Amino acid sequence: MRAVISDVHSNIEAFEAVLADIESQGITDILCLGDMVGYGPDPRESIAMHQQACRQVILGNHELAIMGEQEDFNERAKAAVTWTKNQLALNGSGGAQNRVYWDYIGGLPKIVVDGPFVFVHGSPRDYIREYIFPRDVYNEEKLRAIFELIDNYCIVGHTHIQGVITEDPNFLRPGDLGGVYKLRRQKAVIN
């Protein structure tokens, strides 16, 4: 069994709680859909924990932003990016370890395909930046384009809104599903 996590945003207290829950279920295979950093106070610790705990981490928009690409960020997000970059400075006492973190971030893939599953941070159209919101079930053109790019299931993060968008189209919240989504022959985007 695999756990899929996303958008920890340097909040190591929350990450520790999630990891404890994952471990209590006997799961050892963890995939992160990106955004290890951003907003929270512990980017260095968050990266280190992800390196240790996750078999695979995908590039998120906050990792991309600290590498220099943040064109669509609001002022709060831009400030978080600047602060995070300062925490990962290559000069000073932590510079050598920060180089390891930068090399790790620079090597993250934008997409992972595993059997019928496509894993991205944003969407199959723009792996890192595009949001797929529940309201998109009313945007036929957008959903058609997204579903044309997947054969079965696409697992995303980015919006921080859990749920399943099906091809028919429908948005199913975790409560609608009793907390469990059973895979069907129908294509689905799962957040």
Side-chain angles (χ1 to χ4, degrees):
M1 191 178 325
R2 171 185 293 159
V4 179
I5 63 172
S6 187
D7 297 272
V8 171
H9 288 296
S10 301
N11 182 341
I12 61 169
E13 289 80 9
F15 193 25
E16 288 169 343
V18 168
L19 290 176
D21 183 59
I22 290 169
E23 184 179 331
S24 76
Q25 296 180 53
I27 300 169
T28 57
D29 184 6
I30 303 172
L31 186 144
C32 176
L33 300 173
D35 281 0
M36 298 177 289
V37 299
Y39 304 121
D42 300 302
R44 298 177 84 244
E45 295 83 352
S46 183
I47 296 167
M49 288 174 66
H50 279 82
Q51 284 179 302
Q52 182 177 0
C54 300
R55 179 181 57 84
Q56 182 72 62
V57 176
I58 294 171
L59 187 69
N61 64 311
H62 279 263
E63 287 84 29
L64 187 65
I66 65 170
M67 291 190 296
E69 220 176 296
Q70 58 178 328
E71 70 271 357
D72 294 335
F73 274 39
N74 64 39
E75 291 308 311
R76 181 173 166 247
K78 286 179 184 176
V81 167
T82 300
W83 184 85
T84 299
K85 286 170 78 170
N86 289 335
Q87 298 303 303
L88 297 171
L90 297 177
N91 55 1
S93 62
Q97 183 59 49
N98 286 347
R99 169 62 62 198
V100 173
Y101 297 147
W102 281 110
D103 290 345
Y104 178 69
I105 291 168
L108 296 177
K110 295 177 181 178
I111 181 172
V112 169
V113 178
D114 186 4
F117 299 97
V118 174
F119 298 92
V120 296
H121 181 69
S123 88
R125 293 194 313 178
D126 181 340
Y127 301 148
I128 298 172
R129 290 186 214 102
E130 182 177 40
Y131 290 91
I132 303 175
F133 289 109
R135 67 177 176 257
D136 290 332
V137 297
Y138 304 108
N139 186 337
E140 291 179 31
E141 184 178 320
K142 179 178 180 179
L143 281 189
R144 183 174 31 259
I146 287 170
F147 280 111
E148 284 175 0
L149 294 171
I150 61 174
D151 292 329
N152 296 291
Y153 315 106
C154 185
I155 315 298
V156 302
H158 198 31
T159 65
H160 306 190
I161 302 170
Q162 298 173 348
V164 179
I165 295 178
T166 57
E167 194 175 20
D168 45 8
N170 196 7
F171 176 72
L172 306 168
R173 291 170 177 76
D176 300 334
L177 301 164
V180 176
Y181 179 69
K182 294 184 181 182
L183 299 177
R184 304 169 179 126
R185 293 183 190 263
Q186 181 181 45
K187 292 180 183 183
V189 174
I190 303 166
N191 189 328

